[in-house]
Amino acid sequence: MIRFVLVIAFVTCFLIASIPIFLVEWLIGKSHPDLRDRSSLRIVQWALRVIAWLAGIDLTVIGEEHVPKDVPVLYISNHRSYFDIVITYARCPRPTGYVSKKEMLKIPLLSRWMKFLHCQFLDRSDIRAGLKTILACIELVKKGISITIFPEGTRGKGKNELEMLPFHEGSFKVAAKSGCLIVPIAITGSSAIFEDHVPYVRRGHVTLEYGTPIDPAALSREDQKAIGKYVQGEIRRMLESHKASGI
């Protein structure tokens, strides 16, 4: 329980202490929005690294050299834990917005940081609103902001990482319409940090692997029509290699 208390205490203190930073970041953004994007990214990444340390996450990273650093991309990942966001966002090399459920807007201060970081809030019960969210993500990529989507739509609760939910095909329109690359991400072991034994946060090993970037335009017409299935297959292949090698 002590790790859970430490994580909650740190998050609370960080959000409260960051209130004056909001004003500074807002002022910076008025004349230098790119600088605001970079500074907000680094501030939040520092906080997420502290959270990961407090949680006792032992992280193995594979294939990070595959991630383009000079252009925006669409990150697509499997999803089993809140800590997936902590782990992945702390390593983004450039400004990146995450697609999150709209309920996150109700959390004061945290939602403000998320807005600063170009996160988009999805109403999963409204198809039309969902389309607007995807269109907003396309425009962000065109402006140089990477986007991360967990296309299962919610956290997977199967017995292991290989039991993924179907990927929503609409998520991939961000890449198809903006022309950006898709970077598949495979995460193993993250649910063992928290979700497998709520409310306890326990030390554990997590493997984070970045796959080779995928150019949707280079895929066959058949794979383009079912690109969600194609990308999920690439992620499953990485997850299977984690299981086979015991990492």
Side-chain angles (χ1 to χ4, degrees), residues 133-155:
T133 299
I134 294 300
L135 292 175
C137 289
I138 293 170
E139 291 305 310
L140 284 172
V141 172
K142 290 179 178 179
K143 294 177 181 178
I145 307 296
S146 292
I147 294 293
T148 298
I149 298 179
F150 299 105
E152 292 172 271
T154 186
R155 286 177 290 114

Side-chain angles (χ1 to χ4, degrees), residues 75-213:
Y75 295 102
I76 294 291
S77 176
N78 64 312
H79 187 32
R80 290 177 60 84
S81 172
Y82 291 116
F83 280 95
D84 295 336
I85 300 165
V86 173
I87 294 164
T88 56
Y89 199 81
R91 308 192 73 86
C92 291
R94 55 184 298 117
T96 303
Y98 276 51
V99 175
S100 177
K101 57 186 179 181
K102 70 171 185 176
E103 288 77 11
M104 297 299 293
L105 285 167
K106 299 177 182 179
I107 304 178
L109 301 180
L110 176 60
S111 60
R112 174 55 57 187
W113 272 115
M114 294 177 72
K115 289 179 180 179
F116 269 2
L117 297 168
H118 301 288
C119 291
Q120 300 299 304
F121 301 92
L122 179 66
D123 184 347
R124 292 176 290 188
S125 64
D126 188 332
I127 296 177
R128 183 173 296 181
L131 178 59
K132 289 183 179 179
T133 299
I134 294 300
L135 292 175
C137 289
I138 293 170
E139 291 305 310
L140 284 172
V141 172
K142 290 179 178 179
K143 294 177 181 178
I145 307 296
S146 292
I147 294 293
T148 298
I149 298 179
F150 299 105
E152 292 172 271
T154 186
R155 286 177 290 114
K157 298 177 177 63
K159 292 182 179 179
N160 58 62
E161 284 80 6
L162 294 176
E163 296 184 19
M164 290 180 282
L165 298 168
F167 280 13
H168 295 292
E169 294 287 337
S171 305
F172 298 88
K173 292 185 182 296
V174 175
K177 297 297 184 181
S178 69
C180 74
L181 296 173
I182 297 170
V183 176
I185 298 175
I187 304 173
T188 297
S190 59
S191 64
I193 303 300
F194 180 61
E195 280 74 12
D196 291 351
H197 37 69
V198 176
Y200 300 99
V201 173
R202 292 178 177 168
R203 179 185 297 275
H205 180 262
V206 177
T207 300
L208 168 64
E209 181 171 3
Y210 297 93
T212 303

Side-chain angles (χ1 to χ4, degrees), residues 37-105:
D37 286 346
R38 293 194 300 273
S39 60
S40 293
L41 173 68
R42 301 312 175 200
I43 290 168
V44 171
Q45 286 183 322
W46 170 81
L48 293 177
R49 292 189 189 102
V50 173
I51 291 171
W53 178 75
L54 291 172
I57 296 175
D58 176 23
L59 183 64
T60 295
V61 182
I62 304 170
E64 196 164 23
E65 68 276 6
H66 294 151
V67 180
K69 297 178 174 57
D70 55 345
V71 292
V73 300
L74 172 64
Y75 295 102
I76 294 291
S77 176
N78 64 312
H79 187 32
R80 290 177 60 84
S81 172
Y82 291 116
F83 280 95
D84 295 336
I85 300 165
V86 173
I87 294 164
T88 56
Y89 199 81
R91 308 192 73 86
C92 291
R94 55 184 298 117
T96 303
Y98 276 51
V99 175
S100 177
K101 57 186 179 181
K102 70 171 185 176
E103 288 77 11
M104 297 299 293
L105 285 167

